Amino acid sequence: MRLLFDQFMKKCEDGSWIHLPSYEDIATQRSQDFSTFIHAYFPTASEQINKEKLSQGRIFTRSFEDGLGFEYVMFYNDAEKRIVCVFQGGPHLQGMPGFFHGGAIATMIDATVGMNAIVSGGIVMTANLNINFKRPIPLCSIVLINSQLDKIEGRKLLVSCNVQSVDEKILYTEATSLFIKLNPEKEFHIKELVLNSAPPA
Ligand SMILES: CCCCCCCC/C=C\CCCCCCCC(=O)SCCNC(=O)CCNC(=O)[C@H](O)C(C)(C)COP(=O)(O)OP(=O)(O)OC[C@H]1O[C@@H](n2cnc3c(N)ncnc32)[C@H](O)[C@@H]1OP(=O)(O)O
């Protein structure tokens, strides 16, 4: 994992790739904006969200103890509209004995294509996610999740993705997704927010 991280960090040196911040980096810097964000985009639902619970909110993929759940880092290439996620799931993501749970794989795919759609299109939500599980992924192995923005049609963003072994010899999973941009008139400049929270390359 460290070796792959260093290889991608090297690619960041000429500015073609960007090491994306973790959700915690964004949340720590902008948690005071979360209520404003919810109120702007989900005015009806905002009344149903318990403010106390909101302050305890944690992104699902970062809610496990270190090393047991989702360990990952994402890199973004703006020119190619690609995000590569280097993912090493921990032992608490087991489904069939010895392999990752399909829901855990789906979660990481959603997080990766979702981040691609967010930096490309602003505030979006997943409307559809289609996944073909082609080979089981051995528990605790390191994989690459390669996502690509294919098309933007009005409010719709189509993002595809595959999950491969690090040597690219095994294709584990393929997915396509549809994201819908919410209330475009209330632009939240999420791309700047995400990129400005980026840790130094
Ligand atoms: C201060 C801080 C700020 C924030 C910080 C953020 C930091 C970010 C960093 C890190 C994030 C990590 C990233 C995670 C990513 C994960 C994302 C998720 O998992 S999202 C959860 C699951 N998704 C839902 O819960 C959606 C539920 N669905 C809805 O809310 C609506 O259905 C929605 C918004 C998707 C669309 O509803 P409408 O009312 O806006 O739009 P309509 O008119 O229905 O659809 C627009 C067009 O799209 C088509 N469409 C909609 N859904 C479709 C579908 N399922 N299949 C095909 N077409 C569909 C429609 O037919 C329509 O097309 P025509 O304009 O007529 O051509």
Side-chain angles (χ1 to χ4, degrees):
M1 183 90 171
R2 182 78 223 180
L3 201 71
L4 272 168
F5 178 78
D6 290 342
Q7 280 170 9
F8 271 99
M9 287 307 278
K10 193 112 194 92
K11 289 187 190 183
C12 293
E13 283 171 8
D14 67 2
S16 56
W17 287 83
I18 294 166
H19 174 205
L20 287 176
S22 72
Y23 187 85
E24 286 96 329
D25 291 331
I26 301 169
T28 311
Q29 294 176 33
R30 303 299 293 251
S31 64
Q32 75 281 6
D33 295 336
F34 280 16
S35 293
T36 322
F37 167 79
I38 294 167
H39 198 70
Y41 284 91
F42 308 93
T44 320
S46 78
E47 286 155 29
Q48 296 158 10
I49 297 169
N50 180 320
K51 298 282 174 298
E52 204 181 308
K53 296 283 180 211
L54 180 64
S55 68
Q56 296 169 5
R58 236 170 146 180
I59 188 140
F60 175 42
T61 51
R62 298 296 190 192
S63 58
F64 290 76
E65 267 179 57
D66 280 357
L68 297 180
F70 298 91
E71 301 295 334
Y72 62 94
V73 58
M74 291 188 198
F75 295 90
Y76 173 59
N77 184 312
D78 193 43
E80 296 175 12
K81 304 293 176 217
R82 284 175 61 198
I83 285 184
V84 175
C85 173
V86 182
F87 168 54
Q88 181 170 35
H92 286 197
L93 302 185
Q94 181 165 245
M96 282 294 233
F99 298 97
F100 285 130
H101 193 289
I105 300 166
T107 297
M108 273 321 300
I109 289 177
D110 193 24
T112 308
V113 290
M115 189 54 108
N116 202 330
I118 285 169
V119 291
S120 306
I123 305 292
V124 297
M125 282 194 102
T126 322
N128 181 271
L129 181 58
N130 265 300
I131 301 181
N132 288 316
F133 297 98
K134 299 172 91 72
R135 294 278 177 278
I137 307 180
L139 196 64
C140 301
S141 57
I142 302 174
V143 294
L144 296 177
I145 306 175
N146 303 292
S147 80
Q148 173 78 57
L149 173 76
D150 296 324
K151 209 194 278 186
I152 301 185
E153 274 173 5
R155 294 175 58 210
K156 299 177 197 173
L157 290 96
L158 294 132
V159 188
S160 58
C161 140
N162 67 45
V163 184
Q164 289 182 314
S165 56
V166 172
D167 63 9
E168 298 183 348
K169 288 192 174 142
I170 308 171
L171 174 62
Y172 290 115
T173 321
E174 284 180 318
T176 55
S177 62
L178 169 69
F179 286 81
I180 305 291
K181 197 166 169 163
L182 307 181
N183 303 11
E185 71 277 9
K186 289 192 177 123
E187 190 48 81
F188 209 82
H189 301 295
I190 189 78
K191 180 173 180 178
E192 290 76 3
L193 191 156
V194 168
L195 296 183
N196 291 338
S197 312

